[in-house]
Amino acid sequence: MARLVLKFGGTSVGDIERIKNVAKKVKQEVDAGHEVAVVVSAMSGVTNQLVDYCRQISRVHDQAEYDAVVASGEQVTSGLLAIALQEIGIPARSWQGWQIPLIADETHGKSRIERIETTPLSENMSQGVVGVVAGFQGVTEKGRIATLGRGGSDTSAVALAAALGADRCDIYTDVDGVYTTDPRIVKAARKLHRVTYEEMLEMASLGAKVLQTRSVEMAMKHRVRVQVLSTFEEAPGSDLPGTLVVDEDEIVEQELVSGIAYSRDEAKITLVGVADQPGVAARIFGPLTDAAINVDMIVQNVSEDGTTTDMTFTVGKADLDRAVQVLEKSKTELNFRRLISDANVVKVSVIGVGMRSHAGVAQRMFKALADRGINIQVISTSEIKVSVLIAEEYTELALRSLHTAYGLDKA
Ligand code: ASP
Ligand code: MG
């Protein structure tokens, strides 16, 4: 007997028929003798609608009240799934965040989990009752409802799995696993059977939208075995039909590169002719930090004549206008000649823990892009990834070429 946490996303509980289908999946695990807690999202589209209601009344609304509104989607699905389970003879009850309680901090709208009191839920589960937990929500010490940021029920599920000491956390979604790259763009993309926490973390933060980034951080920290799998496809005869996110030493044959991610969410800014002297970078990024604008990739070259150089960096596309405004405002102080901005870019990244111990990974990327005549605008690297910024129109070509270059194409 194992203890499992199963999480079902918005499309999996998108209508009543689908909720009944989820109940059947849960029943299978219960019939197999497992002790089960289920975490549910709101029905697809519902959270967006609730967010929109808040905005229609006020663009800058009270975040605690926003939480009271948007948390309601999960309350509905948790109750409905409990009823659906009872209908097919499985004892079940719903748990709201405040009932568990799952204590979250006071940063409403993107609250973080502080702790989970598992005793009442756990006792109920050991009496054979399936716990159906409303994802995405918790309660603050002050007794107010808090939500965990968009996509937050992934984090609810992983945190619950850690707190309950579950053997595995199965994240049911509308794709059947994590792929080497976006299968909608690259037909030859393959499903990964296993991927490490580190790689998954990079993939999630670099644009693969399968799991909320925070949930992967949480899984890595608490070593929760996570499986990503499809609600809609049966994989007969397979114990682990999806992708398992695990510790590095569980992966026998480590590929050099495990996946290729891309993000269209970035924009590039170049400051032409900034002084090449101490303190300049601090002066440029200070005002951006003050405006809560995150900077990602940065390049600065040494100047030829020791006087001026150019500084290029990327910010979120959504922040581009504000970033330009902030910088133009401090133009005299920053003393640059010209500001060039470009939203027509994409960041493509190759990811793999295998590159820690191998040379030539970046070179293979540069060569593959060069062979296609794709110009690299900015490069950044970390221990397990190489990212390049290129013109957006080359996204597909770059993904396909890199996928082939690293030998990832499906046989
Ligand atoms: N319903 C929330 C959202 O749409 C949480 C989730 O689905 O994970 O962001
Ligand atoms: Mg999701």
Side-chain angles (χ1 to χ4, degrees):
M1 182 189 101
R3 192 172 240 202
L4 299 177
V5 171
L6 315 178
K7 184 256 167 179
F8 292 90
T11 45
S12 307
V13 293
D15 59 35
I16 296 302
E17 276 319 303
R18 287 182 174 186
I19 291 175
K20 289 183 182 168
N21 174 49
V22 165
K24 281 191 213 140
K25 298 236 170 219
V26 175
K27 183 176 188 302
Q28 281 171 13
E29 299 292 6
V30 174
D31 289 347
H34 303 314
E35 218 172 78
V36 180
V38 188
V39 174
V40 286
S41 288
M43 292 164 116
S44 56
V46 167
T47 310
N48 287 345
Q49 175 71 74
L50 295 169
V51 171
D52 190 53
Y53 286 154
C54 295
R55 291 211 181 115
Q56 281 184 39
I57 297 181
S58 161
R59 307 262 335 151
V60 276
H61 41 257
D62 178 355
Q63 287 293 98
E65 296 307 345
Y66 162 94
D67 279 348
V69 175
V70 300
S72 64
E74 275 72 8
Q75 174 161 345
V76 172
T77 43
S78 61
L80 288 174
L81 181 58
I83 295 173
L85 284 164
Q86 291 167 5
E87 275 306 295
I88 54 173
I90 304 291
R93 73 151 276 190
S94 64
W95 295 83
Q96 306 311 305
W98 62 270
Q99 292 172 317
I100 295 177
L102 181 152
I103 307 293
D105 71 19
E106 267 144 46
T107 44
H108 285 281
K110 47 174 187 310
S111 176
R112 283 182 171 268
I113 300 174
E114 284 182 344
R115 62 198 156 78
I116 302 179
E117 175 56 67
T118 50
T119 315
L121 171 63
S122 190
E123 278 175 8
N124 203 240
M125 284 168 64
S126 39
Q127 287 158 15
V129 182
V130 171
V132 187
V133 175
F136 184 49
Q137 51 162 277
V139 64
T140 67
E141 293 284 7
K142 291 187 182 146
R144 310 247 9 215
I145 293 171
T147 65
L148 309 177
R150 296 306 306 272
S153 8
D154 291 342
T155 303
S156 308
V158 174
L160 194 65
L164 288 171
D167 298 273
R168 207 175 61 231
C169 180
D170 282 345
I171 308 269
Y172 282 90
T173 179
D174 49 7
V175 293
D176 63 350
V178 179
Y179 278 71
T180 48
T181 193
D182 189 340
R184 288 166 304 183
I185 294 187
V186 181
K187 289 279 163 291
R190 277 188 291 119
K191 190 170 84 186
L192 295 162
H193 292 292
R194 283 180 153 74
V195 65
T196 68
Y197 295 118
E198 287 86 348
E199 290 165 333
M200 194 62 232
L201 194 57
E202 292 285 3
M203 288 183 195
S205 52
L206 290 169
K209 301 210 162 64
V210 216
L211 288 176
Q212 197 201 32
T213 307
R214 221 185 251 184
S215 71
V216 188
E217 284 166 4
M218 178 91 67
M220 183 154 111
K221 183 157 154 221
H222 299 284
R223 302 285 139 181
V224 177
R225 293 163 64 82
V226 172
Q227 183 183 204
V228 177
L229 70 172
S230 163
T231 317
F232 303 106
E233 280 165 46
E234 294 285 342
S238 168
D239 258 3
L240 294 167
T243 299
L244 209 54
V245 189
V246 289
D247 218 51
E248 212 173 318
D249 38 75
E250 273 198 55
I251 300 184
V252 204
E253 290 258 338
Q254 189 62 62
E255 303 269 0
L256 197 55
V257 161
S258 308
I260 303 169
Y262 69 102
S263 163
R264 299 186 205 264
D265 295 338
E266 286 184 44
K268 183 183 71 166
I269 294 177
T270 301
L271 298 180
V272 181
V274 295
D276 186 16
Q277 53 183 230
V280 168
R283 271 211 301 280
I284 293 173
F285 295 116
L288 293 174
T289 308
D290 294 343
I293 295 169
N294 268 331
V295 173
D296 179 27
M297 312 169 92
I298 303 176
V299 279
Q300 190 206 337
N301 212 331
V302 288
S303 55
E304 202 182 341
D305 56 0
T307 58
T308 64
T309 180
D310 300 343
M311 174 88 84
T312 298
F313 52 92
T314 64
V315 298
K317 225 168 237 178
D319 288 334
L320 179 61
D321 292 344
R322 266 193 323 127
V324 170
Q325 205 179 42
V326 165
L327 292 165
E328 290 287 8
K329 243 205 250 150
S330 351
K331 182 164 184 198
T332 9
E333 192 202 330
L334 299 176
N335 194 21
F336 56 86
R337 258 205 315 283
R338 204 153 51 93
L339 183 155
I340 307 168
S341 69
D342 184 4
N344 177 30
V345 289
V346 61
K347 181 170 72 171
V348 175
S349 310
V350 299
I351 300 155
V353 292
M355 67 176 78
R356 276 199 201 117
S357 48
H358 284 87
V361 175
Q363 163 58 16
R364 200 185 297 188
M365 179 180 207
F366 304 153
K367 171 105 179 35
L369 296 174
D371 287 348
R372 296 279 183 254
I374 300 172
N375 186 38
I376 300 172
Q377 305 179 13
V378 185
I379 303 168
S380 76
T381 65
S382 80
E383 212 188 1
I384 66 158
K385 72 146 204 268
V386 186
S387 302
V388 297
L389 198 72
I390 60 173
E392 192 172 2
E393 59 262 34
Y394 293 122
T395 311
E396 296 190 30
L397 182 60
L399 289 180
R400 268 192 273 114
S401 315
L402 293 171
H403 202 264
T404 308
Y406 288 104
L408 294 174
D409 290 354
K410 153 162 81 189

